[in-house]
Amino acid sequence: MRAIFFVILCVALYLPARADVRLPKIFTDHMVLQQQLPIRIWGHADAGEAVAVDFAGEHGETVADSSGHWRVELPAMNADGKPHSLTVKGKNSIELKDVMLGEVWLAVGQSNMSRGLRYVKQRAMAERMDFADYRLFFVGLDQVPQMEEAASTKGWAPATHESMEKIFVHPTLGPYEYSEVAYEFGNHLREKLDVPVGMIAVAYGGTTASQWTPAENPAGRFDFASGKPDKGPGSMYQSMLVGIPPLSIRGVVYYQGENDAANAHYGTDLLKMLEAWRKNFERPDLPFYMAQMAQTTFQGGMLHVTQAQCWLTKNAPDTAIAPSNDLWDDADPQKAKTRLDKETGWPITGGRDPHPPNKNIIAIRLANIALAKTYGKVSGEVLGPTVASGQTVGDALRVKFDHVGKGLKTDDGDAPNWFQIAGDDKKFVKAQAKIIGNDTVELRSPDVKAPRYFRFAWNPLARHNLYNSEGLPALNYGSSRD
């Protein structure tokens, strides 16, 4: 008997090991696949193993390469509102159930994006949340680089209170962990588009754009065997975002910048990151919509971040910024009570805390940008007024704005505030400002006979009053230059 067992054991040792066909973690039950774009499905199997994929009447076949990787691309399909099965067959078979076609968006950033619905738990619990056609995927916080995909994920799961209580749970702080911005953005799209929506939330506090930019040679850059955290360039991409591309997605919403406030190269870092993402997602026109940072003195303020974001919108197509100057309104009076700046006498708000409330507002602004620019569903202005040019006319300086809708206005009915002008000496003084026409603010001061320079909302806590006809605040601008 012992001899027979030994023979069987020896035969088993010499039989080739079977590697079941498998899928990355982004593919699970309840997922949403992007409609109207090629559907990419990939995974692992034995080298040379035949793999077949079936979904919604479409069929694809391939053979795993010498390293065991395989990929199938199914043709683009339209959302039909029906749940389907996704079947992958090799030597074994995988069946994903309740898979829908719809709109898929990726939400990335640092702490303002990662902040979960638990921060507004009472409001969230009071809202309707039983959406079978709204699906959520969550990547757990991690800074240990992985070769192929994030170590910890949660989802896909329907957007329900039950999911928030049982799946999207912070290990120490409890349920409703899912990103508020990501959730509210996707829910607004669901309401307006009438198709299934899937949101993928990937965010980690205190991170920089360079950390979210994939390394050109990950194997040479990271020691994957060490299991140690890494905070250098490319680290967050390799810890949390890797394994999601090349999934077909509609676009990206991005809420990051606080830890790049003092980075003189933030604009070019953003561009490098975006170009790398567009390459990895195989979408040269991938929409990329950013949230402006609200008022804070953290890292010296967010003015440079806004300027870098504006630079990006001029140097990369399919990009835009959602304004944030009014997010501190109606917050905790002890934390965000509007105050007056001692130097100018104009309103200021916020403080060192870089986490404004009312994230549902910025989420809806981001969603409206997507509805207008990506889907063509909104005809009105969805961007905040942005400085376009300045011109000296006699003893006045006229500042022209883009994205004014039907015209500029102030939210309090007073003259525009937070404008200063200067002559050749660059000594700025308060300007008397008034709106002329639809898109121009005229600036004067009896102390500046020939104004050449202006600045607008340059203080990191400036709470200006300039809006467009759609009720969107202007973006902070800082100082004009030669």
Side-chain angles (χ1 to χ4, degrees):
M1 186 72 173
R2 184 177 298 171
I4 294 173
F5 175 78
F6 178 75
V7 171
I8 293 173
L9 177 61
C10 289
V11 171
L13 288 174
Y14 282 96
L15 285 174
R18 169 174 164 168
D20 285 349
V21 64
R22 57 188 175 88
L23 292 165
K25 295 175 182 178
I26 191 66
F27 292 96
T28 74
D29 294 342
H30 313 301
M31 78 179 300
V32 179
L33 292 172
Q34 179 59 52
Q35 68 162 340
Q36 300 170 345
L37 289 175
I39 297 174
R40 305 185 191 101
I41 302 165
W42 68 95
H44 289 271
D46 281 333
E49 183 174 350
V51 179
V53 177
D54 290 277
F55 177 73
E58 297 291 345
H59 177 81
E61 297 180 358
T62 191
V63 174
D65 65 19
S66 60
S67 62
H69 293 91
W70 60 266
R71 170 171 156 172
V72 168
E73 189 168 292
L74 300 179
M77 309 178 209
N78 290 322
D80 58 8
K82 301 176 182 178
H84 298 275
S85 291
L86 171 64
T87 303
V88 180
K89 293 182 179 180
K91 295 175 182 176
N92 62 303
S93 181
I94 300 171
E95 182 183 9
L96 304 185
K97 298 178 180 179
D98 189 30
V99 177
M100 304 188 83
L101 288 157
E103 293 299 311
V104 182
W105 284 77
L106 173 66
V108 183
Q110 56 181 112
S111 53
N112 273 307
M113 181 63 85
S114 70
R115 284 203 161 203
L117 285 161
R118 57 189 164 85
Y119 284 89
V120 289
K121 187 176 178 181
Q122 295 306 312
R123 190 198 78 201
M125 291 178 67
E127 292 179 356
R128 179 192 169 200
M129 198 181 291
D130 57 354
F131 307 119
D133 60 349
Y134 183 22
R135 313 292 177 81
L136 309 174
F137 186 91
F138 180 87
V139 177
L141 301 178
D142 201 354
Q143 287 189 307
V144 178
Q146 306 294 327
M147 176 68 80
E148 294 190 336
E149 59 180 338
S152 173
T153 62
K154 298 178 183 179
W156 292 81
T160 65
H161 286 294
E162 182 179 13
S163 295
M164 292 296 171
E165 290 283 0
K166 295 182 179 180
I167 298 174
F168 302 117
V169 181
H170 190 280
T172 59
L173 298 177
Y176 289 80
E177 180 183 19
Y178 201 83
S179 162
E180 181 183 0
V181 172
Y183 177 84
E184 296 291 354
F185 172 89
N187 195 33
H188 195 64
L189 292 189
R190 180 197 61 80
E191 292 175 351
K192 301 299 182 182
L193 296 176
D194 196 29
V195 297
V197 172
M199 290 300 302
I200 303 169
V202 186
Y204 196 106
T207 51
T208 64
S210 68
Q211 290 177 290
W212 290 106
T213 304
E216 293 183 3
N217 177 22
R221 162 71 181 85
F222 300 103
D223 181 3
F224 294 112
S226 73
K228 296 179 179 179
D230 190 312
K231 298 182 181 180
S235 58
M236 294 315 306
Y237 181 93
Q238 208 66 41
S239 299
M240 293 180 64
L241 195 50
V242 66
I244 297 176
L247 185 74
S248 290
I249 62 174
R250 182 63 74 188
V252 177
V253 285
Y254 189 71
Y255 202 162
Q256 185 276 334
E258 301 95 320
N259 281 72
D260 272 305
N263 175 10
H265 306 289
Y266 183 53
T268 52
D269 281 357
L270 270 182
L271 181 59
K272 182 179 178 181
M273 183 192 77
L274 176 56
E275 289 175 341
W277 288 6
R278 285 176 168 173
K279 177 181 178 181
N280 288 3
F281 279 103
E282 301 176 23
R283 286 283 309 282
D285 59 348
L286 183 73
F288 182 76
Y289 303 141
M290 301 166 281
Q292 181 195 16
M293 303 297 106
Q295 298 95 322
T296 178
T297 56
F298 181 78
Q299 294 256 352
M302 299 294 114
L303 181 60
H304 174 65
V305 173
T306 300
Q307 291 172 337
Q309 290 176 321
C310 289
W311 177 88
L312 183 71
T313 63
K314 293 179 173 63
N315 288 274
D318 302 298
T319 57
I321 311 167
S324 67
N325 191 259
D326 54 352
L327 292 189
W328 282 109
D329 293 8
D330 303 321
D332 179 354
Q334 299 302 315
K335 197 173 193 179
K337 184 179 179 181
T338 299
R339 312 176 303 278
L340 297 181
D341 174 56
K342 293 180 180 179
E343 179 183 348
T344 64
W346 284 321
I348 57 175
T349 191
R352 178 162 176 78
D353 185 356
H355 306 111
N358 298 320
K359 288 186 171 36
N360 55 322
I361 294 176
I362 200 76
I364 290 174
R365 287 174 181 171
L366 286 165
N368 284 335
I369 291 171
L371 289 168
K373 295 176 71 66
T374 300
Y375 299 106
K377 296 291 187 180
V378 175
S379 58
E381 182 58 69
V382 294
L383 304 177
T386 308
V387 170
S389 62
Q391 181 182 12
T392 299
V393 180
D395 65 346
L397 198 154
R398 292 178 180 174
V399 182
K400 186 175 181 179
F401 285 80
D402 290 330
H403 309 300
V404 302
K406 296 179 181 179
L408 292 171
K409 66 177 185 179
T410 59
D411 68 337
D412 55 10
D414 294 337
N417 57 23
W418 279 107
F419 281 96
Q420 289 187 336
I421 55 175
D424 288 331
D425 58 6
K426 297 185 181 180
K427 293 181 179 179
F428 286 96
V429 299
K430 291 178 69 171
Q432 300 166 356
K434 69 176 181 179
I435 297 170
I436 60 172
N438 288 330
D439 62 0
T440 302
V441 177
E442 186 175 73
L443 309 175
R444 280 188 170 88
S445 170
D447 298 321
V448 183
K449 301 302 181 183
R452 184 175 176 185
Y453 303 97
F454 72 94
R455 59 184 185 182
F456 168 62
W458 66 95
N459 187 304
L461 302 181
R463 174 57 174 94
H464 67 70
N465 63 352
L466 189 64
Y467 284 68
N468 62 21
S469 60
E470 301 296 332
L472 295 169
L475 296 179
N476 296 36
Y477 179 74
S479 300
S480 61
R481 295 174 173 83
D482 288 312

